[in-house]
Amino acid sequence: MPNLDEPKKLGFGLMRLPHKGLLIDVEQVKKMVDLFMEAGFTYFDTAFVYPGSEDATRKALVERYPRDSFTLATKLHAGMMPIEKGAKQELFTSLKRTGAEYIDYYLLHSLMNNNYKLYDKFHLWDFVQEQKAKGTIRHYGFSFHAGPELLDEVLTAHPDVEFVQLQINYADWENPSVQSRANYEVARKHGKRVVIMEPVKGGALAKPPKEVQELFSKMHPELSPASWAIRFCASLDGVLSVLSGMSNVAQMQDNLSYMTDFVPLNADERRVIHEAQRIMGASETIPCTACRYCTEGCPKGIPIPDIFAAANLKLGSGRETEAYAAYEAIDPAHRADACIACKKCEQVCPQHIAIPDRLKTCGSLLNGTEQ
């Protein structure tokens, strides 16, 4: 049996699962789970708020493998419920959806400056301690999308927390909005294990600017750009798991090709990453990871990540024809100029993007007025 307390470092993030039409393609997820488990990996990550993910996890994983052969993480998002009772009920709903009997790693979800007090108000820190004592959960922590000052405050107030899930990738290592390095150092100062999310930045680092791709290919022509991003994260000390939100079998196979027998970055590879960071620091691309938290409350139904992705085709690699085509494919009633600047999107954006301002810029860029 694998050592579930020290899993192999690649985790399967179940947020961006493959779809057939509007539904998750469970049969393809089963194939991905099988490849992952056969390679000796065990860490799976889902959440109450990921549409259909917990049900797919039950069908593709829990009903097909012994419960002691894998570890499952899921999350409680206090902002989804108006009252304490409803927030606490999320755990039991997750248990029912996943059929998992217990949760190995339970997280209070997406703590930010504008919501972290809600977790105190609803007594959720006490709740997870109680559920651990009952055996309903085995370890508890939280995922985090703010700065190091708040992280230090939360960890000081709750020293019993066992792990922290942080957004870390080489492009955002020194990004003043994300502060990957600073947050990582705070977590380690408090002696906490780290689970890493968005190591490929929502897929952006799978297709970085051409100059970065050439830099990587010169040293390792056989490796994908995504491999550099995931190995950068997995090479950090104190990492419990690096989550990759894989969306198809090909992505799974690529990740397994270099993570099954993981080798940390060597000195020459770290120098290449430093050069990539320099290049990416000068990039004009929009730092969107396509988490889609922004779209749920948008009163105009604007597919914000799709617009940003179209803009980044032009901004990141000069692929103007593809950028315009991607924007044209969006319903005209829901394009950038539909934004009323209510800023509901900004309040939930983990990247802290000034979304209405960026949409305005995208509208000009993709309507061809800046050609």
Side-chain angles (χ1 to χ4, degrees), residues 6 18 24 33 44 53 59 77 83 160 182 212 256 268 292 326 329:
E6 290 293 336
I24 291 174
V33 166
F44 295 82
S53 177
K59 295 172 184 176
H77 198 306
I83 60 173
D160 49 290
V212 173
L256 296 179
D268 288 337
R292 297 192 176 274

Side-chain angles (χ1 to χ4, degrees), residues 30-43:
K30 287 179 181 178
K31 294 177 184 177
M32 296 166 73
V33 166
D34 291 346
L35 289 169
F36 192 74
M37 293 288 285
E38 287 165 8
F41 295 93
T42 59
Y43 194 103

Side-chain angles (χ1 to χ4, degrees), residues 183-232:
N183 281 330
Y184 167 76
E185 290 176 352
V186 168
R188 296 302 293 150
K189 180 187 75 172
H190 283 268
K192 306 305 178 187
R193 300 289 298 276
V194 176
V195 174
I196 294 177
M197 56 183 160
E198 302 295 358
V200 193
K201 201 171 181 176
L205 300 184
K207 295 181 179 180
K210 184 178 179 181
E211 190 176 353
V212 173
Q213 293 188 45
E214 291 173 348
L215 183 69
F216 291 157
S217 182
K218 185 176 181 180
M219 175 166 278
H220 292 305
E222 77 283 7
L223 293 179
S224 65
S227 74
W228 286 85
I230 291 177
R231 288 182 62 229
F232 168 82

